[in-house]
Every structure is written in structure tokens, then in C-alpha cells.
Coordinates of all heavy atoms in Angstrom, one line a residue:
M1 N 72.3 -20.2 87.7 CA 71.1 -19.3 88.0 C 71.0 -18.2 86.9 O 69.9 -18.0 86.5 CB 71.2 -18.7 89.4 CG 70.9 -19.6 90.5 SD 69.1 -19.6 90.6 CE 69.0 -20.6 92.1
V2 N 72.1 -17.6 86.6 CA 72.1 -16.5 85.7 C 71.6 -17.0 84.3 O 70.8 -16.4 83.7 CB 73.4 -15.8 85.6 CG1 73.4 -14.7 84.5 CG2 73.8 -15.2 86.9
G3 N 72.1 -18.1 83.9 CA 71.8 -18.7 82.7 C 70.3 -19.0 82.6 O 69.7 -18.8 81.6
N4 N 69.7 -19.5 83.7 CA 68.3 -19.8 83.7 C 67.4 -18.6 83.6 O 66.4 -18.6 82.9 CB 67.9 -20.6 85.0 CG 68.4 -22.0 85.0 OD1 68.8 -22.5 83.9 ND2 68.5 -22.6 86.1
A5 N 67.8 -17.5 84.2 CA 67.1 -16.3 84.1 C 67.1 -15.7 82.7 O 66.1 -15.3 82.1 CB 67.6 -15.2 85.1
F6 N 68.3 -15.9 82.1 CA 68.4 -15.4 80.7 C 67.5 -16.3 79.8 O 66.8 -15.7 78.9 CB 69.9 -15.5 80.2 CG 70.1 -15.2 78.8 CD1 70.1 -13.9 78.3 CD2 70.2 -16.3 77.8 CE1 70.3 -13.6 76.9 CE2 70.4 -16.0 76.5 CZ 70.4 -14.7 76.0
L7 N 67.6 -17.6 79.9 CA 66.7 -18.5 79.1 C 65.3 -18.2 79.3 O 64.5 -18.2 78.4 CB 67.1 -19.9 79.4 CG 68.5 -20.4 79.0 CD1 68.8 -21.8 79.4 CD2 68.7 -20.2 77.5
E8 N 64.9 -18.0 80.6 CA 63.4 -17.7 80.9 C 63.0 -16.4 80.2 O 61.9 -16.3 79.6 CB 63.2 -17.7 82.4 CG 63.3 -19.1 83.0 CD 63.1 -19.0 84.5 OE1 62.7 -18.0 85.1 OE2 63.4 -20.0 85.2
A9 N 63.8 -15.4 80.4 CA 63.5 -14.1 79.8 C 63.5 -14.2 78.3 O 62.6 -13.6 77.6 CB 64.5 -13.0 80.3
S10 N 64.4 -14.9 77.7 CA 64.4 -15.1 76.3 C 63.2 -15.8 75.8 O 62.6 -15.4 74.8 CB 65.6 -15.9 75.8 OG 66.8 -15.1 76.1
A11 N 62.7 -16.8 76.5 CA 61.6 -17.6 76.1 C 60.3 -16.7 76.2 O 59.4 -16.7 75.3 CB 61.4 -18.8 77.0
D12 N 60.2 -16.0 77.3 CA 59.1 -15.0 77.5 C 59.1 -14.0 76.3 O 58.0 -13.7 75.8 CB 59.2 -14.3 78.8 CG 58.8 -15.2 80.0 OD1 58.3 -16.3 79.7 OD2 59.2 -14.9 81.1
A13 N 60.2 -13.4 76.0 CA 60.3 -12.4 75.0 C 60.0 -13.0 73.6 O 59.3 -12.4 72.8 CB 61.7 -11.8 75.0
A14 N 60.4 -14.3 73.4 CA 60.1 -14.9 72.1 C 58.6 -15.2 72.0 O 58.0 -15.0 70.9 CB 60.8 -16.2 72.0
T15 N 57.9 -15.5 73.1 CA 56.5 -15.7 73.1 C 55.8 -14.4 72.8 O 54.8 -14.3 72.0 CB 56.0 -16.3 74.5 OG1 56.6 -17.6 74.6 CG2 54.5 -16.5 74.5
Q16 N 56.2 -13.3 73.4 CA 55.7 -12.0 73.2 C 55.9 -11.5 71.8 O 55.0 -10.9 71.2 CB 56.2 -11.0 74.2 CG 55.7 -11.2 75.6 CD 56.4 -10.3 76.6 OE1 57.1 -9.3 76.2 NE2 56.2 -10.6 77.9
L17 N 57.0 -11.9 71.2 CA 57.3 -11.5 69.8 C 56.3 -12.3 68.9 O 55.8 -11.7 68.0 CB 58.8 -11.9 69.5 CG 59.1 -11.8 68.0 CD1 58.9 -10.3 67.5 CD2 60.5 -12.2 67.7
Q18 N 56.1 -13.5 69.1 CA 55.2 -14.3 68.3 C 53.8 -13.7 68.4 O 53.1 -13.6 67.4 CB 55.2 -15.8 68.7 CG 56.5 -16.5 68.4 CD 56.5 -17.9 68.9 OE1 55.8 -18.3 69.8 NE2 57.5 -18.7 68.4
T19 N 53.4 -13.3 69.6 CA 52.1 -12.7 69.8 C 52.0 -11.4 69.0 O 51.0 -11.1 68.3 CB 51.8 -12.4 71.3 OG1 51.8 -13.7 72.0 CG2 50.5 -11.7 71.5
A20 N 53.1 -10.6 69.0 CA 53.2 -9.3 68.3 C 53.1 -9.6 66.8 O 52.5 -8.8 66.1 CB 54.4 -8.5 68.7
Q21 N 53.8 -10.6 66.4 CA 53.8 -10.9 64.9 C 52.4 -11.3 64.4 O 52.0 -10.9 63.3 CB 54.8 -12.0 64.6 CG 56.3 -11.6 64.7 CD 57.3 -12.7 64.6 OE1 57.0 -13.8 65.1 NE2 58.4 -12.4 64.0
R22 N 51.7 -12.1 65.3 CA 50.3 -12.5 64.9 C 49.4 -11.3 64.8 O 48.6 -11.1 63.9 CB 49.8 -13.5 65.9 CG 50.3 -15.0 65.6 CD 49.6 -16.0 66.4 NE 49.6 -15.7 67.9 CZ 50.6 -16.2 68.7 NH1 51.6 -16.8 68.2 NH2 50.6 -15.9 70.0
K23 N 49.6 -10.4 65.8 CA 48.8 -9.2 65.9 C 49.1 -8.3 64.7 O 48.2 -7.7 64.1 CB 49.0 -8.4 67.2 CG 48.1 -7.2 67.3 CD 47.9 -6.7 68.7 CE 46.9 -5.6 68.7 NZ 46.2 -5.5 69.9
H24 N 50.4 -8.2 64.4 CA 50.8 -7.4 63.2 C 50.1 -7.9 61.9 O 49.6 -7.2 61.1 CB 52.3 -7.4 63.0 CG 52.8 -6.9 61.8 ND1 53.6 -7.6 60.9 CD2 52.6 -5.7 61.2 CE1 53.9 -6.8 59.8 NE2 53.3 -5.7 60.0
A25 N 50.1 -9.2 61.7 CA 49.5 -9.8 60.6 C 48.0 -9.5 60.5 O 47.5 -9.2 59.5 CB 49.8 -11.3 60.5
S26 N 47.4 -9.6 61.7 CA 45.9 -9.4 61.7 C 45.6 -7.9 61.4 O 44.7 -7.6 60.6 CB 45.4 -9.7 63.1 OG 44.1 -9.3 63.3
L27 N 46.4 -7.0 62.0 CA 46.2 -5.6 61.8 C 46.5 -5.2 60.3 O 45.8 -4.4 59.7 CB 47.0 -4.7 62.7 CG 46.6 -4.8 64.2 CD1 47.7 -4.1 65.1 CD2 45.3 -4.2 64.4
R28 N 47.5 -5.8 59.8 CA 47.9 -5.6 58.4 C 46.7 -6.0 57.5 O 46.4 -5.3 56.5 CB 49.2 -6.3 58.1 CG 49.6 -6.2 56.6 CD 50.1 -4.8 56.3 NE 50.4 -4.7 54.9 CZ 51.7 -4.6 54.4 NH1 52.7 -4.6 55.2 NH2 51.9 -4.5 53.1
A29 N 46.2 -7.2 57.8 CA 45.1 -7.7 56.9 C 43.9 -6.8 57.0 O 43.2 -6.5 56.0 CB 44.7 -9.1 57.4
K30 N 43.6 -6.3 58.2 CA 42.4 -5.3 58.3 C 42.7 -4.1 57.5 O 41.8 -3.5 56.8 CB 42.2 -5.0 59.8 CG 41.5 -6.1 60.5 CD 41.4 -5.7 62.0 CE 40.9 -6.9 62.8 NZ 40.8 -6.6 64.3
A31 N 43.9 -3.6 57.6 CA 44.3 -2.3 56.9 C 44.2 -2.5 55.4 O 43.8 -1.7 54.7 CB 45.7 -1.9 57.3
D32 N 44.7 -3.7 54.9 CA 44.7 -4.0 53.5 C 43.2 -4.1 53.0 O 42.9 -3.6 51.9 CB 45.4 -5.3 53.2 CG 46.9 -5.2 53.3 OD1 47.4 -4.1 53.4 OD2 47.6 -6.3 53.4
A33 N 42.3 -4.7 53.8 CA 40.9 -4.8 53.5 C 40.3 -3.4 53.4 O 39.5 -3.1 52.5 CB 40.2 -5.7 54.5
R34 N 40.6 -2.5 54.3 CA 40.1 -1.2 54.3 C 40.6 -0.4 53.1 O 39.9 0.4 52.4 CB 40.5 -0.4 55.6 CG 39.7 -0.9 56.8 CD 40.1 0.0 58.0 NE 39.5 -0.5 59.2 CZ 40.2 -0.9 60.2 NH1 41.5 -0.9 60.3 NH2 39.5 -1.4 61.3
L35 N 41.9 -0.6 52.7 CA 42.4 0.0 51.5 C 41.7 -0.5 50.3 O 41.3 0.4 49.4 CB 43.9 -0.3 51.4 CG 44.6 0.2 50.2 CD1 44.5 1.7 50.1 CD2 46.1 -0.2 50.1
R36 N 41.5 -1.8 50.2 CA 40.8 -2.3 49.0 C 39.4 -1.7 48.9 O 38.9 -1.3 47.8 CB 40.7 -3.8 49.0 CG 42.0 -4.5 48.6 CD 41.8 -6.0 48.5 NE 41.3 -6.6 49.7 CZ 42.1 -7.0 50.7 NH1 43.4 -6.9 50.6 NH2 41.6 -7.6 51.7
T37 N 38.7 -1.6 50.0 CA 37.4 -1.0 50.1 C 37.4 0.5 49.6 O 36.6 0.9 48.8 CB 36.7 -1.1 51.5 OG1 36.6 -2.5 51.8 CG2 35.4 -0.4 51.5
A38 N 38.4 1.2 50.1 CA 38.5 2.6 49.7 C 38.9 2.8 48.3 O 38.3 3.7 47.6 CB 39.6 3.3 50.6
Q39 N 39.7 1.9 47.8 CA 40.1 2.0 46.3 C 38.9 1.7 45.5 O 38.7 2.3 44.4 CB 41.2 1.0 46.0 CG 42.5 1.5 46.6 CD 43.6 0.4 46.4 OE1 43.4 -0.8 46.6 NE2 44.9 0.9 46.2
D40 N 38.1 0.7 45.9 CA 36.8 0.4 45.1 C 35.9 1.5 45.1 O 35.3 1.9 44.1 CB 36.1 -0.9 45.7 CG 36.9 -2.2 45.5 OD1 37.8 -2.2 44.6 OD2 36.6 -3.1 46.2
R41 N 35.7 2.2 46.3 CA 34.8 3.3 46.4 C 35.3 4.5 45.5 O 34.6 5.1 44.8 CB 34.7 3.7 47.9 CG 33.7 4.9 48.1 CD 33.5 5.2 49.5 NE 34.7 5.5 50.3 CZ 35.2 4.7 51.2 NH1 34.6 3.6 51.6 NH2 36.3 5.0 51.8
H42 N 36.7 4.7 45.5 CA 37.3 5.7 44.7 C 37.0 5.5 43.3 O 36.6 6.4 42.5 CB 38.8 5.8 45.0 CG 39.5 6.8 44.2 ND1 40.1 6.5 43.0 CD2 39.7 8.1 44.4 CE1 40.7 7.6 42.5 NE2 40.4 8.6 43.3
R43 N 37.2 4.3 42.8 CA 37.0 3.9 41.4 C 35.6 4.2 41.0 O 35.3 4.8 39.9 CB 37.3 2.4 41.2 CG 38.0 2.1 39.9 CD 38.4 0.6 39.8 NE 38.3 -0.3 41.0 CZ 39.3 -0.5 41.8 NH1 40.5 0.2 41.7 NH2 39.2 -1.3 42.8
I44 N 34.6 3.9 41.8 CA 33.2 4.1 41.5 C 32.9 5.6 41.5 O 32.2 6.1 40.6 CB 32.3 3.4 42.6 CG1 32.4 1.9 42.4 CG2 30.9 3.9 42.5 CD1 31.8 1.1 43.5
E45 N 33.4 6.4 42.5 CA 33.2 7.8 42.5 C 33.8 8.5 41.3 O 33.3 9.5 40.8 CB 33.6 8.4 43.9 CG 32.7 7.9 45.0 CD 33.2 8.4 46.4 OE1 34.2 9.1 46.5 OE2 32.6 8.0 47.4
V46 N 35.0 8.1 40.9 CA 35.7 8.7 39.8 C 34.9 8.4 38.5 O 34.7 9.3 37.7 CB 37.1 8.2 39.6 CG1 37.7 8.6 38.3 CG2 38.0 8.8 40.7
A47 N 34.4 7.2 38.4 CA 33.5 6.9 37.2 C 32.3 7.7 37.2 O 31.8 8.3 36.2 CB 33.2 5.4 37.2
D48 N 31.6 7.9 38.4 CA 30.4 8.7 38.5 C 30.7 10.2 38.1 O 29.9 10.8 37.4 CB 29.8 8.6 39.9 CG 29.2 7.3 40.2 OD1 29.0 6.5 39.2 OD2 28.9 7.0 41.4
A49 N 31.9 10.7 38.6 CA 32.2 12.1 38.3 C 32.4 12.2 36.7 O 32.0 13.3 36.2 CB 33.5 12.4 39.0
A50 N 33.0 11.3 36.1 CA 33.2 11.3 34.7 C 31.9 11.4 33.9 O 31.7 12.1 32.9 CB 34.1 10.2 34.2
L51 N 30.9 10.6 34.4 CA 29.6 10.6 33.8 C 29.0 12.0 33.9 O 28.2 12.4 32.9 CB 28.7 9.5 34.4 CG 29.1 8.1 34.2 CD1 28.2 7.2 34.9 CD2 29.1 7.8 32.7
V52 N 29.2 12.7 34.9 CA 28.7 14.1 35.1 C 29.2 14.9 33.9 O 28.5 15.7 33.3 CB 29.0 14.6 36.5 CG1 28.7 16.1 36.5 CG2 28.3 13.9 37.5
E53 N 30.5 14.9 33.7 CA 31.1 15.7 32.6 C 30.6 15.2 31.3 O 30.3 16.1 30.4 CB 32.6 15.7 32.7 CG 33.2 16.6 31.6 CD 34.7 16.9 31.7 OE1 35.3 16.5 32.7 OE2 35.2 17.6 30.8
A54 N 30.6 13.9 31.1 CA 30.1 13.4 29.8 C 28.7 13.9 29.5 O 28.4 14.3 28.4 CB 30.1 11.9 29.8
A55 N 27.8 14.0 30.5 CA 26.5 14.5 30.3 C 26.5 16.0 30.0 O 25.7 16.4 29.1 CB 25.6 14.3 31.6
G56 N 27.5 16.7 30.5 CA 27.6 18.1 30.2 C 28.0 18.3 28.7 O 27.5 19.2 28.1
W57 N 28.9 17.5 28.3 CA 29.3 17.5 26.8 C 28.1 17.2 25.9 O 27.8 17.8 24.9 CB 30.5 16.6 26.5 CG 31.8 17.2 27.0 CD1 32.5 16.8 28.1 CD2 32.5 18.3 26.4 NE1 33.6 17.5 28.2 CE2 33.6 18.5 27.2 CE3 32.3 19.1 25.4 CZ2 34.6 19.4 27.0 CZ3 33.2 20.1 25.1 CH2 34.4 20.3 25.9
R58 N 27.3 16.2 26.4 CA 26.2 15.8 25.6 C 25.2 16.9 25.5 O 24.7 17.2 24.4 CB 25.5 14.5 26.2 CG 24.4 14.0 25.3 CD 23.6 12.9 26.0 NE 22.7 13.5 27.1 CZ 22.9 13.2 28.4 NH1 23.8 12.4 28.8 NH2 22.1 13.8 29.2
L59 N 24.9 17.6 26.6 CA 24.0 18.7 26.6 C 24.5 19.9 25.7 O 23.7 20.5 25.0 CB 23.8 19.3 28.0 CG 23.0 18.4 28.9 CD1 23.0 18.9 30.4 CD2 21.5 18.3 28.4
L60 N 25.8 20.1 25.7 CA 26.4 21.2 24.9 C 26.2 20.8 23.4 O 25.8 21.7 22.6 CB 27.9 21.3 25.2 CG 28.6 22.4 24.4 CD1 28.0 23.8 24.6 CD2 30.1 22.4 24.7
L61 N 26.4 19.5 23.1 CA 26.2 19.1 21.7 C 24.8 19.1 21.2 O 24.5 19.0 20.0 CB 26.9 17.8 21.4 CG 28.3 17.8 20.9 CD1 28.4 18.4 19.5 CD2 29.2 18.6 21.8
E62 N 23.8 19.1 22.2 CA 22.4 19.1 21.8 C 21.9 20.5 21.4 O 20.8 20.6 20.9 CB 21.6 18.5 23.0 CG 21.8 17.0 23.2 CD 21.0 16.5 24.4 OE1 20.4 17.2 25.1 OE2 21.1 15.3 24.6
V63 N 22.7 21.5 21.7 CA 22.3 22.9 21.2 C 22.2 22.9 19.7 O 23.2 22.4 19.0 CB 23.4 23.9 21.7 CG1 23.1 25.3 21.1 CG2 23.4 24.0 23.2
P64 N 21.1 23.3 19.2 CA 20.9 23.3 17.7 C 22.1 24.1 17.0 O 22.4 25.2 17.4 CB 19.6 24.1 17.5 CG 18.8 23.8 18.8 CD 19.9 23.8 19.9
G65 N 22.7 23.4 16.1 CA 23.8 24.0 15.3 C 25.1 23.8 15.9 O 26.1 24.2 15.3
M66 N 25.2 23.2 17.1 CA 26.5 23.0 17.8 C 27.2 21.9 17.0 O 26.7 20.8 16.7 CB 26.3 22.6 19.2 CG 27.6 22.4 20.0 SD 28.6 23.9 20.2 CE 27.5 24.9 21.1
T67 N 28.5 22.1 16.8 CA 29.4 21.1 16.2 C 30.4 20.7 17.2 O 30.7 21.3 18.2 CB 30.1 21.6 14.9 OG1 31.0 22.7 15.3 CG2 29.1 22.2 13.9
V68 N 31.0 19.5 16.9 CA 32.1 19.1 17.8 C 33.2 20.1 17.8 O 33.8 20.4 18.8 CB 32.6 17.7 17.3 CG1 33.9 17.3 18.0 CG2 31.5 16.6 17.5
S69 N 33.5 20.7 16.6 CA 34.6 21.7 16.6 C 34.3 22.9 17.4 O 35.1 23.4 18.2 CB 34.7 22.1 15.1 OG 35.7 23.1 15.0
T70 N 33.0 23.4 17.4 CA 32.6 24.5 18.2 C 32.6 24.2 19.7 O 33.1 24.9 20.5 CB 31.3 25.1 17.8 OG1 31.3 25.4 16.4 CG2 30.9 26.3 18.6
A71 N 32.1 23.0 20.0 CA 32.1 22.5 21.4 C 33.6 22.4 21.9 O 33.8 22.8 23.1 CB 31.4 21.2 21.5
A72 N 34.5 22.0 21.1 CA 35.9 21.9 21.5 C 36.4 23.2 21.8 O 37.1 23.4 22.8 CB 36.7 21.2 20.4
R73 N 36.1 24.2 21.0 CA 36.6 25.6 21.3 C 36.0 26.1 22.5 O 36.7 26.7 23.4 CB 36.2 26.5 20.1 CG 37.1 26.3 18.9 CD 36.8 27.4 17.9 NE 37.8 27.3 16.8 CZ 38.7 28.3 16.7 NH1 38.8 29.3 17.4 NH2 39.6 28.1 15.7
I74 N 34.7 25.9 22.7 CA 34.0 26.4 24.0 C 34.6 25.7 25.2 O 34.8 26.3 26.2 CB 32.5 26.1 23.9 CG1 31.9 27.0 22.8 CG2 31.8 26.3 25.2 CD1 30.4 26.7 22.5
G75 N 34.9 24.4 25.1 CA 35.4 23.6 26.2 C 36.9 23.7 26.4 O 37.5 23.2 27.3
G76 N 37.6 24.4 25.4 CA 39.0 24.6 25.5 C 39.8 23.3 25.4 O 40.8 23.0 26.1
T77 N 39.3 22.4 24.5 CA 40.0 21.1 24.3 C 39.9 20.7 22.8 O 39.5 21.5 22.0 CB 39.3 20.0 25.2 OG1 40.0 18.9 25.2 CG2 37.9 19.7 24.7
S78 N 40.4 19.5 22.5 CA 40.5 19.1 21.1 C 39.2 18.4 20.7 O 38.4 18.0 21.6 CB 41.6 18.1 21.0 OG 41.3 16.9 21.7
E79 N 39.0 18.3 19.4 CA 37.8 17.6 18.9 C 37.8 16.2 19.3 O 36.7 15.6 19.6 CB 37.7 17.8 17.4 CG 37.4 19.2 16.9 CD 37.4 19.3 15.4 OE1 37.1 18.3 14.7 OE2 37.7 20.4 14.9
S80 N 39.0 15.5 19.3 CA 39.0 14.1 19.7 C 38.6 13.9 21.1 O 37.9 12.9 21.5 CB 40.4 13.5 19.4 OG 41.4 14.2 20.2
T81 N 39.0 14.9 22.0 CA 38.6 14.8 23.4 C 37.1 14.9 23.5 O 36.4 14.1 24.3 CB 39.3 15.8 24.3 OG1 40.7 15.6 24.2 CG2 38.8 15.8 25.7
V82 N 36.5 15.8 22.8 CA 35.0 16.0 22.8 C 34.4 14.7 22.3 O 33.4 14.2 22.9 CB 34.6 17.2 22.0 CG1 33.0 17.2 21.8 CG2 35.1 18.5 22.5
S83 N 34.9 14.1 21.3 CA 34.3 12.9 20.7 C 34.4 11.7 21.8 O 33.5 11.0 21.9 CB 35.1 12.5 19.5 OG 34.8 13.4 18.4
R84 N 35.5 11.7 22.5 CA 35.6 10.6 23.5 C 34.6 10.8 24.6 O 34.0 9.9 25.1 CB 37.0 10.6 24.1 CG 38.0 9.9 23.2 CD 39.3 9.6 23.9 NE 40.1 10.8 24.4 CZ 40.9 11.5 23.6 NH1 41.0 11.2 22.4 NH2 41.5 12.5 24.2
W85 N 34.4 12.1 25.0 CA 33.4 12.4 26.0 C 32.0 12.0 25.5 O 31.2 11.5 26.3 CB 33.4 13.9 26.5 CG 34.5 14.2 27.5 CD1 35.6 14.9 27.3 CD2 34.6 13.7 28.8 NE1 36.3 15.0 28.4 CE2 35.7 14.2 29.4 CE3 33.8 12.8 29.6 CZ2 36.1 13.9 30.7 CZ3 34.2 12.5 30.9 CH2 35.3 13.1 31.4
L86 N 31.7 12.3 24.3 CA 30.4 12.0 23.7 C 30.2 10.5 23.7 O 29.1 10.0 24.0 CB 30.2 12.6 22.3 CG 30.1 14.1 22.3 CD1 30.1 14.6 20.9 CD2 28.9 14.6 23.1
A87 N 31.2 9.8 23.3 CA 31.1 8.3 23.3 C 30.9 7.8 24.7 O 30.1 6.8 24.9 CB 32.4 7.7 22.7
R88 N 31.5 8.4 25.7 CA 31.3 8.0 27.1 C 29.9 8.3 27.5 O 29.3 7.5 28.3 CB 32.3 8.6 28.0 CG 32.2 8.2 29.4 CD 33.3 8.8 30.2 NE 33.9 7.8 31.0 CZ 35.0 7.8 31.7 NH1 35.8 8.9 31.5 NH2 35.4 6.9 32.4
A89 N 29.3 9.4 27.1 CA 28.0 9.8 27.4 C 27.0 8.8 26.9 O 25.9 8.5 27.5 CB 27.6 11.2 26.9
K90 N 27.3 8.2 25.7 CA 26.4 7.2 25.1 C 26.5 5.9 25.7 O 25.6 5.1 25.8 CB 26.6 7.2 23.6 CG 26.2 8.4 22.8 CD 26.6 8.3 21.4 CE 26.3 9.7 20.7 NZ 26.8 9.7 19.3
D91 N 27.8 5.5 26.1 CA 28.0 4.2 26.6 C 28.9 4.4 27.9 O 30.1 4.4 27.8 CB 28.8 3.3 25.6 CG 29.1 2.0 26.1 OD1 28.5 1.5 27.1 OD2 30.0 1.3 25.6
P92 N 28.2 4.5 29.0 CA 29.0 4.9 30.3 C 29.8 3.7 30.8 O 30.5 3.9 31.8 CB 27.9 5.2 31.3 CG 26.6 4.6 30.7 CD 26.8 4.5 29.2
S93 N 29.9 2.6 30.2 CA 30.7 1.5 30.7 C 32.2 1.7 30.5 O 32.6 2.5 29.9 CB 30.3 0.2 30.1 OG 30.4 0.2 28.7

């Protein structure tokens, strides 16, 4: 009798474990999908934010007489960084 109770309890617990494992896999898949969606949205928003700064650099360089060197000093960065921002402003891809 004691052995049967143990076996029945073990079988029930094993069935519950399998159910929990399936639920875990399902919840994990949903969480992974949400993470991918959030990462995609983040990537898009970061790219959009960079375009805002690139446009700012372009506007600064449109000031008559403005040079990359002067823009770099105003922006507190290097000439090569300004050039990269300008390239991005021209080709946002």
C-alpha cells in the first residue's frame, strides 16, 4: 500500500512537472518575443535620435563661413567626428 501511494504521488508530480515545463517553455518564448520587439524598437529609436544630432551638425555647417574645424571647436569634438556626423546627415542609412 505504501509503495502504491508513493508511485501514484510520483506519477502525479511527474505529470505536473511536465505541465510546468511546457508552461515554462511557452512563457519563455513569449518573453523572448517581447525582448526581440523591444530591441528592434530600441534600434529604430537610437537611429532616429542619431539623425536628430546629424541634422544639428548639418545646420551648424550651413552657417556661412563655418568650417569643420570651427564646428568641431563649437561642438567640443574632433574634426573627424564632425565629418562622420555630416556623412550621416547626407546618408542616414
Side-chain angles (χ1 to χ4, degrees):
M1 281 278 189
V2 173
N4 287 341
F6 173 79
L7 293 176
E8 288 175 17
S10 296
D12 288 345
T15 299
Q16 290 176 10
L17 173 61
Q18 290 172 346
T19 299
Q21 288 172 324
R22 284 191 300 274
K23 185 161 183 149
H24 170 235
S26 173
L27 292 171
R28 175 72 186 250
K30 286 178 187 177
D32 288 345
R34 287 185 188 119
L35 175 60
R36 282 189 300 277
T37 299
Q39 288 171 325
D40 290 343
R41 185 174 55 248
H42 177 265
R43 217 175 349 271
I44 290 166
E45 290 176 3
V46 165
D48 289 347
L51 290 177
V52 170
E53 183 169 352
W57 284 106
R58 186 188 72 245
L59 288 173
L60 180 62
L61 266 292
E62 288 176 358
V63 171
M66 182 64 62
T67 65
V68 170
S69 177
T70 302
R73 282 185 172 254
I74 290 170
T77 191
S78 68
E79 292 179 28
S80 61
T81 296
V82 173
S83 295
R84 282 193 298 277
W85 280 114
L86 292 175
R88 184 174 223 164
K90 291 176 185 172
D91 180 21
S93 59

